[in-house]
Amino acid sequence: MSGTRSFATRKVQFLNRWHASRAGRMKTRAVGFVSSPEPRTIGSFARGRQLMAGNFLFAGHLVEQKDAEIWDLPLPNAEFGQELHGFAWLDDLAAVGDMPARTAAQTWLWSWIEHYGRGRGAGWTPDLTGRRLIRWINHAIFVLRGTEPDQSHAFYGSLFRQTHFLSRRWHGAAPGLPRIEALCGLIYAGLALEGMESVAQPAVRALARECRIRIDEQGGLPTRNPEELLEVFTLLSWTAAALDEAGHAIPDDHTAAIERIAPTLRTLRHADGGLARFHGGGRGAEGWLDHALAQARVRNSQPDGLSMGYARLSAGRTSVVVDASVPPSGAASYNAHASTLAFELTSGRRPLIVNCGSGRTFGPEWRRAGRATPSHSTLSLDGYSSARLGEQDAGTGREPLIEGPTRVPIEIGHASDGLCFQSGHNGFVPTHGLTHARTLEMTFDGRGLAGEDMLLALEDGEKRRFDRTMDAAGLSGIAFDIRFHLHPEVDVTIDLGGAAVSMALKSGEIWVFRHDGTQKLSLEPSVYLETGRLKPRGSNQIVLSGRAMSYATRIRWSLSKAQETAIGVRDLSLDTPDLTE
């Protein structure tokens, strides 16, 4: 299997190099734009200033070289180089927009044409080429201002070569985001460039087919990565707008995909405007999600039940998002996490309960650690994750997620005083004979969340497996931990004799964690993994530890927001759901 994938990967790389070289040898003519392109990408002023100061932060690595030629930088890893060749940094220079920023953009762009424009070297993959074309076209006015005719000729000639390469090799991109990125770049170029109109319509039809087969009825992707879904949604929205402005019809499948994705992204949106962090995805750039939803102008309401396998409870200023489905499988599992039944909670503009996130940019060890169940706010059993990593793929160096839960039944409804989520998964049945069941109840005002976790041996065969595991443990029970990872900006202390934990947010809110007293409560170190930072951020986690001694073990806990009393003293006993009923 690994050998087959490795051969396929080498074949794709060979074909990409061959077509890139062929495109580089093509005779080109100076072309222009059919119309002035409308910039749609959004950059960061702060990142643009850092680039101009010689601070190159890509893929979690910082290279500091003032007045450096960007293509001569030492590459800490392959992803660093890929981000350079994708030209998303051009958004950041355009966000600065002054003369020095334009000079840097022009210097680095024409240097790329000189070094790589003939189809030699890195950067000639369909997804990177699509990403690069979109940025060049978006910011053409910015980079072409004040240039000489020979520079303009080289710019348009390179666009022609890249478009020709993409028209031949878009299908070599991996299904999902990479292929959609390639096709959207091809459509952009076909609509914008004189003489390239013929490549647009085949790409429009191919993109519509991708929308039909890759975006499921829940408006989700097979990877179940929320940030990746946002990227797909943004690309589809940009391309739909470009087609509309050019007077072309937007295929029904394309429009339908946008209309399915928008409500799903609203489900995955926390109260602070950020995305829930699951399956390798981050929160998204500040304001990116809200901007994308506003530009798409899709008013569909959030669907009942699951969206891309996630459930949402929302009341008052509080949002909870739960991973309530089986993990991704097959090729989609290479960035998947063992996070079934994990949840995140945000209060107003402040995240409280989080998952550790993806450690991909911090190296393979952090990447593996971030994918494990203990890195999520859920229950882990006896040192095991609810799904485990398979053998590393020889072609990609990544490990698929295998042997995870196969059944995750859910029920979402109303409790006596709020909203109720109930679910369970069988990820621990093969190893311990135990099903993990979780119930979450949120009050109608969003000020309280009551939780119950249960470990159950249900069938006779599962009970026999549990008995064997107990025998192997010397009848001392099966250890479990329920973890609640806290955002780094949460100040946390154990109080009331170790029976509760109080958590202060920067907004001034205080939340209190309590449990039913049958487990050990501790406060332990944690990490918060963010793309774009040089190292993991230190944080804390609340841990409930105990041992399953029978076929049914129940653990009850609560999170509640404290209130201000009349004299200004916070009463930590208020708003706590009753755990004794």
Side-chain angles (χ1 to χ4, degrees), residues 31 35 52 104 107 111 168 198 245 274 280 287 294 300 309 360 565:
V31 295
S35 61
M52 295 167 60
T107 300
S111 181
R168 296 289 190 270
S198 62
E245 291 170 2
N300 293 4
R360 175 176 53 85
T565 66

Side-chain angles (χ1 to χ4, degrees), residues 376-399:
H376 300 82
S377 293
T378 187
L379 179 145
S380 59
L381 193 60
D382 198 21
Y384 285 78
S385 288
S386 58
R388 72 177 182 88
L389 295 178
E391 184 179 347
Q392 189 177 88
D393 181 87
T396 64
R398 300 178 301 173
E399 308 94 339

Side-chain angles (χ1 to χ4, degrees), residues 251-446:
D252 291 343
D253 286 329
H254 188 147
T255 302
I258 293 174
E259 292 175 347
R260 290 198 303 275
I261 294 173
T264 297
L265 286 174
R266 291 191 180 99
T267 296
L268 298 170
R269 179 189 181 277
H270 275 302
D272 64 344
L275 284 166
R277 305 188 330 141
F278 288 95
H279 293 293
R283 290 175 46 80
E286 185 73 24
W288 183 18
L289 173 58
D290 287 345
H291 178 78
L293 290 171
Q295 291 294 309
R297 300 178 181 176
V298 177
R299 303 303 180 193
N300 293 4
S301 60
Q302 293 170 213
D304 294 331
L306 299 183
S307 296
M308 201 167 73
Y310 297 95
R312 175 187 175 90
L313 301 177
S314 180
R317 302 175 66 247
T318 305
S319 62
V320 170
V321 179
V322 191
D323 184 351
S325 188
V326 299
S329 59
S333 72
Y334 281 91
N335 289 313
H337 289 206
S339 58
T340 306
L341 298 192
F343 76 96
E344 292 192 323
L345 183 150
T346 296
S347 178
R349 302 292 299 173
R350 301 292 174 179
L352 176 62
I353 306 298
V354 297
N355 297 310
C356 291
S358 172
R360 175 176 53 85
T361 59
F362 303 114
E365 291 185 3
W366 276 113
R367 181 176 182 273
R368 285 192 294 271
R371 299 175 71 187
T373 298
S375 294
H376 300 82
S377 293
T378 187
L379 179 145
S380 59
L381 193 60
D382 198 21
Y384 285 78
S385 288
S386 58
R388 72 177 182 88
L389 295 178
E391 184 179 347
Q392 189 177 88
D393 181 87
T396 64
R398 300 178 301 173
E399 308 94 339
L401 204 65
I402 62 173
E403 295 185 8
T406 58
R407 291 187 298 107
V408 187
I410 71 154
E411 184 175 332
I412 303 174
H414 288 84
S416 58
D417 61 345
L419 307 171
C420 181
F421 164 86
Q422 294 178 298
S423 186
H425 75 77
N426 62 346
F428 298 120
V429 168
T431 54
H432 299 82
L434 291 172
T435 293
H436 174 210
R438 168 164 273 186
T439 298
L440 301 175
E441 294 184 4
M442 177 183 284
T443 56
F444 282 128
D445 59 7

Side-chain angles (χ1 to χ4, degrees), residues 33-37 191-192:
F33 288 116
V34 175
S35 61
S36 296
L191 295 176

Side-chain angles (χ1 to χ4, degrees), residues 1-179:
M1 181 75 172
S2 297
T4 301
R5 182 177 292 274
S6 179
F7 172 77
T9 301
R10 291 196 301 271
K11 181 180 178 181
V12 168
Q13 292 170 345
F14 169 78
L15 289 172
N16 285 342
R17 289 194 299 269
W18 187 83
H19 280 284
S21 177
R22 187 182 180 199
R25 294 194 300 270
M26 293 182 63
K27 293 183 179 180
T28 63
R29 61 189 183 282
V31 295
F33 288 116
V34 175
S35 61
S36 296
E38 177 72 21
R40 303 190 191 281
T41 51
I42 302 173
S44 164
F45 178 87
R47 286 199 301 267
R49 298 290 293 177
Q50 288 296 318
L51 286 171
M52 295 167 60
N55 300 319
F56 302 93
L57 177 59
F58 297 106
H61 294 272
L62 176 65
V63 176
E64 298 177 276
Q65 289 195 14
K66 189 173 178 60
D67 300 323
E69 163 60 69
I70 194 171
W71 307 112
D72 292 335
L73 294 174
L75 301 182
N77 59 14
E79 289 184 339
F80 189 100
Q82 290 168 4
E83 291 196 18
L84 291 182
H85 286 279
F87 272 78
W89 48 264
L90 196 56
D91 299 338
D92 304 325
L93 293 179
V96 177
D98 59 12
M99 184 59 72
R102 177 180 289 109
T103 300
Q106 292 171 336
T107 300
W108 295 342
L109 189 151
W110 270 276
S111 181
W112 186 91
I113 294 174
E114 180 182 351
H115 285 84
Y116 305 103
R118 293 287 179 180
R120 299 185 298 270
W124 286 86
T125 61
D127 55 333
L128 289 179
T129 304
R131 189 183 313 167
R132 188 166 56 242
L133 281 173
I134 291 173
R135 266 62 186 193
W136 285 26
I137 293 169
N138 271 349
H139 302 301
I141 295 175
F142 174 67
V143 298
L144 286 174
R145 183 171 297 173
T147 57
E148 299 296 328
D150 60 333
Q151 292 178 304
S152 177
H153 181 94
F155 177 78
Y156 287 119
S158 184
L159 283 176
F160 176 86
R161 291 188 183 96
Q162 293 179 68
T163 304
H164 186 270
F165 164 78
L166 206 50
S167 70
R168 296 289 190 270
R169 288 302 300 152
W170 65 262
H171 52 80
L177 175 60
R179 186 171 296 175

